[in-house]
Amino acid sequence: NLDPVEEKRLKSLSLVELSTSYQNEKESSEFVKALYARLGAVRSALVGHGGGIIIVDSTNQMNGGGLTLTLSLDGACIACGAAPGTLIGIRKDLEMDQEIAKVKFSSELLDSFGELGKDFLLSQTSLEFV
C-alpha cells in the first residue's frame, strides 16, 4: 500500500542532494525510496515480484547536467525472464526525471543471464552496462 503523503514527500526530495549523502544505510534507503517514487508501472512489477533496486554508483554531472546512476537489481529480479523489460522500464521512468541524465546498469547483471539473455540485452536493447 502506498501512502500518498509519503509518496509526495519522496517525490519532492532532490535526488542530487540525496546522491551526495547516501553513505550510510538510512540515507541510502531514502535515496532508493525516492527513486521508487519516480517509477511508473514498472514499480509494481518490480516490488510485486520480490525485486529491488541497488544503487551501485551515482555521479553528479556539474552545471545542472544531472545525475548518472549505475543500478543493479536485487531479489527475484535477478535472471528473471522479464528482467530485460524491467530494466528498460526503470531506465525510461528514471530518465524522465529532470535531475537524472542517464541510467546505466551494472555489468554484473549480465552474468546472471544465460548466453541467450545476455545476447538479447546487448544487441536488442539500448541499455548500457558498465
Side-chain angles (χ1 to χ4, degrees), residues 111-129:
D111 296 335
S112 64
F113 293 93
E115 287 304 312
L116 186 60
K118 191 183 299 188
D119 288 344
F120 175 80
L121 284 166
L122 293 173
S123 66
Q124 301 299 315
T125 71
S126 59
L127 298 174
E128 184 176 346
F129 294 88

Side-chain angles (χ1 to χ4, degrees), residues 6 8 18 24-25 32 37 44 47-49 62 67 83 90 92 106-107 109 112 115 119-120 122:
E6 178 66 359
K8 184 176 182 180
L18 288 171
N24 66 50
E25 190 173 322
V32 170
S44 62
V47 175
H49 293 129
M62 297 302 161
L67 295 172
I90 290 169
K92 180 182 78 71
S106 169
S107 60
L109 277 174
S112 64
E115 287 304 312
D119 288 344
F120 175 80
L122 293 173

Side-chain angles (χ1 to χ4, degrees), residues 15-32 55-59:
L15 294 175
V16 171
E17 288 178 23
L18 288 171
S19 74
T20 63
S21 64
Y22 75 97
Q23 303 310 314
N24 66 50
E25 190 173 322
K26 180 178 185 275
E27 292 164 343
S28 178
S29 173
E30 190 82 347
F31 191 14
V32 170
I55 302 168
V56 176
D57 187 46
S58 173
T59 306

Side-chain angles (χ1 to χ4, degrees), residues 21-109:
S21 64
Y22 75 97
Q23 303 310 314
N24 66 50
E25 190 173 322
K26 180 178 185 275
E27 292 164 343
S28 178
S29 173
E30 190 82 347
F31 191 14
V32 170
K33 287 177 186 178
L35 291 176
Y36 273 91
R38 286 152 171 88
L39 295 177
V42 72
R43 177 180 177 175
S44 62
L46 182 68
V47 175
H49 293 129
I53 295 174
I54 298 171
I55 302 168
V56 176
D57 187 46
S58 173
T59 306
N60 186 6
Q61 307 304 314
M62 297 302 161
N63 302 322
L67 295 172
T68 297
L69 300 174
T70 303
L71 305 175
S72 188
L73 295 178
D74 193 19
C77 284
I78 296 175
C80 169
T86 302
L87 295 174
I88 291 167
I90 290 169
R91 186 197 64 201
K92 180 182 78 71
D93 288 350
L94 293 180
E95 287 181 353
M96 288 176 55
D97 189 281
Q98 63 183 354
E99 289 189 290
I100 299 177
K102 187 168 188 80
V103 174
K104 303 175 189 179
F105 294 96
S106 169
S107 60
E108 291 178 5
L109 277 174

